[in-house]
């Protein structure tokens, strides 16, 4: 696998997907600083890359414990690509952790307007919506199932929601 990654980097050294894969391999070996440096260097060469910003955000949030830096990279990614579902989901999660539920919900609603069938967005939005609108949350989950009939996880999310609210019959028929 390492040989294939090295060959990919040789063939396409500026391809953000290749650089992200390299950084993930470096991080897996416990070399957080080296992974961070690789991503930042690549970002200087490819400043329009949302993928590099998403990878830097993940590294900042989960490996380095720096949510403010993660937020900055995610906001940059979303500014470059307002339709970036991964950036919107990650920012909404940070908003939620910070107690900014209205902002998280608004961010997800905007993301759904760009990608209305994305089950991750619909499920995350339903989770926020459930606090004040249980019926609306269930409807959002039903929409995720309807738009993604071949996927099991939207159905599982809907069933879990219905079971949690005591609606056993709906969970069995949906």
């Amino acid at each position: 696998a390492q040989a294939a990654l090295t060959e990919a980097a040789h063939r396409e050294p500026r391809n953000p997907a290749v650089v992200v894969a390299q950084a993930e391999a470096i991080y897996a070996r416990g070399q957080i600083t080296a992974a961070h440096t690789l991503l930042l260097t690549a970002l200087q060469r490819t400043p329009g890359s949302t993928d590099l910003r998403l990878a830097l955000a993940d590294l900042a949030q989960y490996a380095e414990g720096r949510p403010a830096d993660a937020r900055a990279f995610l906001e940059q990614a979303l500014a470059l690509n307002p339709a970036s579902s991964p950036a919107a989901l990650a920012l909404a999660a940070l908003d939620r952790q910070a107690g900014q539920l209205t902002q998280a919900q608004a961010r997800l609603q905007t993301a759904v307007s760009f990608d209305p069938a994305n089950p991750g967005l619909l499920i995350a939005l339903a989770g926020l919506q459930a606090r004040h609108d249980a019926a609306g949350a269930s409807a959002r989950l039903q929409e995720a199932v309807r738009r993604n009939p071949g996927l099991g996880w939207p159905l599982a999310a809907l069933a879990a929601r219905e079971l949690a609210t005591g609606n056993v019959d709906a969970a069995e028929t949906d």
Side-chain angles (χ1 to χ4, degrees):
Q2 184 58 47
L5 189 55
T6 300
E7 179 62 25
H10 176 72
R11 290 181 187 182
E12 296 184 85
R14 293 181 183 261
N15 182 328
V18 172
V19 175
V20 169
Q22 285 179 294
E24 288 172 349
I26 292 168
Y27 171 70
R29 293 192 304 263
Q31 300 171 337
I32 297 168
T33 302
H36 186 91
T37 300
L38 175 66
L39 291 168
L40 281 178
T41 301
L43 187 59
Q44 289 172 345
R45 289 191 313 254
T46 316
S49 172
T50 57
D51 290 340
L52 292 171
R53 283 178 172 76
L54 290 169
L56 280 161
D58 278 349
L59 197 60
Q61 173 73 10
Y62 301 110
E64 300 169 326
R66 296 177 305 137
D69 289 346
R71 179 178 293 281
F73 285 121
L74 292 168
E75 287 175 349
Q76 291 169 15
L78 209 52
L80 287 169
N81 179 7
S84 173
S85 296
L89 276 167
L91 272 169
L94 287 174
D95 291 341
R96 190 175 186 170
Q97 290 169 0
Q100 300 169 339
L101 302 180
T102 302
Q103 182 173 333
Q105 189 168 351
R107 193 179 305 279
L108 289 171
Q109 286 171 329
T110 299
V112 166
S113 73
F114 286 111
D115 191 0
N118 184 309
L121 293 173
L122 293 167
I123 290 167
L125 187 53
L128 286 171
Q129 199 172 7
R131 295 177 180 265
H132 59 83
D133 180 9
S138 290
R140 183 80 62 184
L141 290 171
Q142 289 169 359
E143 178 183 357
V145 170
R146 190 183 87 257
R147 289 179 179 265
N148 301 279
L151 296 179
W153 59 287
L155 183 59
L158 174 61
R161 174 80 193 131
E162 297 297 341
L163 288 169
T165 59
N167 196 356
V168 177
D169 293 333
E172 291 175 357
T173 59
D174 287 332

